[in-house]
Amino acid sequence: MKMDILPNSKAAATLFTESKKGVILPIFDDAFESCAKVLKKMPPPEDGSKLWIECMGQKFDAAWVEAHFRPDLDIETE
């Protein structure tokens, strides 16, 4: 997954889940950093459902968050 713009840790974000039947539900709405921490603590879905974060018009799946998100490396733009 190629990301054009990496989100600021304080940027508004929402953690979503999609069931294998295609039902999409928001499960957590907060800053990107908080959503990423919640996503990293969640067990992997066993029933074929998917988890991801939407922030700044982009989707960040669980694999991307696990590989790239580091809360101590906040990306600030001033």
Side-chain angles (χ1 to χ4, degrees), residues 1 3-4 8 15-16 25 28 32-33 36 39-42 48-52 54 58-59 72-73 75 77-78:
M1 179 181 295
M3 297 293 116
D4 295 328
N8 180 293
L15 175 59
F16 288 92
L25 296 170
F28 191 71
F32 183 81
E33 179 177 16
L39 178 60
K40 289 176 85 167
K41 289 180 182 180
M42 294 179 76
S49 61
K50 300 174 188 171
L51 295 167
W52 73 91
E54 287 190 15
Q58 295 185 34
K59 281 183 152 180
D72 55 332
L73 298 177
I75 298 170
T77 55
E78 295 182 22

Side-chain angles (χ1 to χ4, degrees), residues 20-55:
K20 64 181 179 180
K21 294 182 179 182
V23 177
I24 298 173
L25 296 170
I27 54 175
F28 191 71
D29 188 37
D30 202 347
F32 183 81
E33 179 177 16
S34 298
C35 288
K37 286 179 180 179
V38 169
L39 178 60
K40 289 176 85 167
K41 289 180 182 180
M42 294 179 76
E46 295 178 7
D47 62 352
S49 61
K50 300 174 188 171
L51 295 167
W52 73 91
I53 298 171
E54 287 190 15
C55 181

